[in-house]
Coordinates of all heavy atoms in Angstrom, one line a residue:
G74 N 109.9 133.0 89.5 CA 109.3 134.2 88.8 C 108.3 134.9 89.7 O 108.3 136.1 89.8
Q75 N 107.3 134.1 90.2 CA 106.3 134.8 91.0 C 106.8 135.4 92.3 O 106.4 136.4 92.7 CB 105.1 133.8 91.3 CG 103.9 134.4 91.9 CD 102.7 133.5 92.0 OE1 102.7 132.7 92.9 NE2 101.8 133.6 91.1
A76 N 107.8 134.7 92.9 CA 108.4 135.2 94.1 C 109.1 136.5 93.8 O 109.1 137.5 94.5 CB 109.4 134.2 94.7
G77 N 109.8 136.5 92.6 CA 110.5 137.8 92.2 C 109.5 138.9 91.9 O 109.8 140.0 92.2
A78 N 108.4 138.5 91.3 CA 107.4 139.6 91.0 C 106.8 140.1 92.3 O 106.5 141.3 92.4 CB 106.3 139.0 90.1
A79 N 106.6 139.3 93.3 CA 106.1 139.7 94.6 C 107.1 140.6 95.3 O 106.7 141.6 95.9 CB 105.8 138.5 95.5
A80 N 108.4 140.3 95.1 CA 109.4 141.1 95.7 C 109.4 142.5 95.1 O 109.7 143.5 95.8 CB 110.8 140.5 95.5
E81 N 109.1 142.6 93.8 CA 109.1 143.9 93.2 C 107.7 144.6 93.3 O 107.7 145.8 93.5 CB 109.4 143.7 91.7 CG 109.4 145.0 90.9 CD 109.6 144.8 89.4 OE1 109.8 143.6 89.0 OE2 109.6 145.8 88.6
G82 N 106.7 143.9 93.1 CA 105.3 144.5 93.0 C 104.4 144.3 94.2 O 103.4 144.9 94.2
G83 N 104.8 143.4 95.1 CA 104.0 143.3 96.3 C 102.9 142.2 96.2 O 102.9 141.3 95.3
V84 N 102.0 142.2 97.1 CA 101.0 141.1 97.3 C 100.0 141.0 96.2 O 99.3 140.0 96.0 CB 100.3 141.3 98.7 CG1 99.3 142.4 98.6 CG2 99.6 140.0 99.1
V86 N 100.2 140.4 93.2 CA 100.4 139.4 92.2 C 99.7 138.1 92.6 O 99.4 137.2 91.8 CB 101.9 139.1 92.1 CG1 102.4 138.4 93.4 CG2 102.2 138.2 90.9
F223 N 107.9 146.8 106.1 CA 107.5 147.5 104.8 C 107.1 148.9 105.1 O 107.4 149.8 104.4 CB 106.4 146.7 104.1 CG 106.9 145.7 103.1 CD1 107.6 144.6 103.5 CD2 106.6 145.8 101.8 CE1 108.1 143.7 102.6 CE2 107.1 144.9 100.8 CZ 107.8 143.8 101.3
L228 N 107.3 151.2 102.1 CA 106.8 150.3 101.0 C 105.4 149.7 101.4 O 105.0 148.7 100.9 CB 107.8 149.1 100.9 CG 109.2 149.5 100.4 CD1 110.1 148.3 100.5 CD2 109.2 150.0 99.0
L231 N 102.9 148.2 98.9 CA 103.1 146.9 98.3 C 102.3 145.8 99.1 O 102.2 144.7 98.6 CB 104.6 146.5 98.3 CG 105.5 147.3 97.5 CD1 106.9 146.8 97.5 CD2 105.0 147.5 96.0
M297 N 104.6 131.4 98.0 CA 105.6 132.0 97.1 C 105.6 133.5 97.2 O 106.6 134.2 97.1 CB 105.2 131.6 95.7 CG 105.3 130.1 95.5 SD 104.4 129.6 94.0 CE 104.1 127.9 94.4
V298 N 104.4 134.2 97.3 CA 104.3 135.6 97.3 C 104.9 136.2 98.6 O 105.8 137.1 98.5 CB 102.8 136.1 97.1 CG1 102.7 137.6 97.3 CG2 102.3 135.7 95.7
F299 N 104.5 135.7 99.7 CA 105.0 136.2 101.0 C 106.5 136.0 101.1 O 107.3 136.9 101.5 CB 104.3 135.7 102.2 CG 102.9 136.3 102.4 CD1 101.8 135.5 102.4 CD2 102.7 137.6 102.4 CE1 100.5 136.0 102.6 CE2 101.5 138.2 102.5 CZ 100.4 137.4 102.6
P300 N 107.1 134.8 100.8 CA 108.5 134.6 100.9 C 109.2 135.6 99.9 O 110.3 136.1 100.2 CB 108.7 133.2 100.5 CG 107.5 132.5 100.9 CD 106.4 133.5 100.7
G301 N 108.6 135.8 98.7 CA 109.3 136.8 97.8 C 109.3 138.2 98.4 O 110.3 138.9 98.2
M302 N 108.2 138.6 99.0 CA 108.2 139.9 99.7 C 109.2 140.0 100.8 O 109.9 141.0 101.0 CB 106.8 140.2 100.2 CG 105.8 140.4 99.1 SD 104.1 140.6 99.7 CE 104.2 142.1 100.5
I303 N 109.3 138.9 101.6 CA 110.3 138.9 102.7 C 111.7 139.0 102.2 O 112.5 139.7 102.8 CB 110.1 137.6 103.5 CG1 108.7 137.7 104.2 CG2 111.2 137.4 104.5 CD1 108.3 136.4 104.9
A304 N 112.0 138.4 101.0 CA 113.3 138.4 100.5 C 113.7 139.8 100.1 O 114.9 140.1 100.0 CB 113.4 137.5 99.3
R305 N 112.8 140.7 99.8 CA 113.1 142.0 99.4 C 113.8 142.8 100.6 O 114.7 143.6 100.4 CB 111.9 142.8 99.0 CG 112.1 144.2 98.7 CD 111.0 144.8 97.9 NE 111.3 146.2 97.6 CZ 110.7 146.9 96.6 NH1 109.9 146.4 95.8 NH2 111.0 148.2 96.4

Side-chain angles (χ1 to χ4, degrees):
Q75 191 172 77
E81 179 184 359
V84 74
V86 72
F223 269 63
L228 295 172
L231 298 185
M297 299 162 204
V298 172
F299 285 126
M302 294 174 64
I303 293 171
R305 176 164 180 157

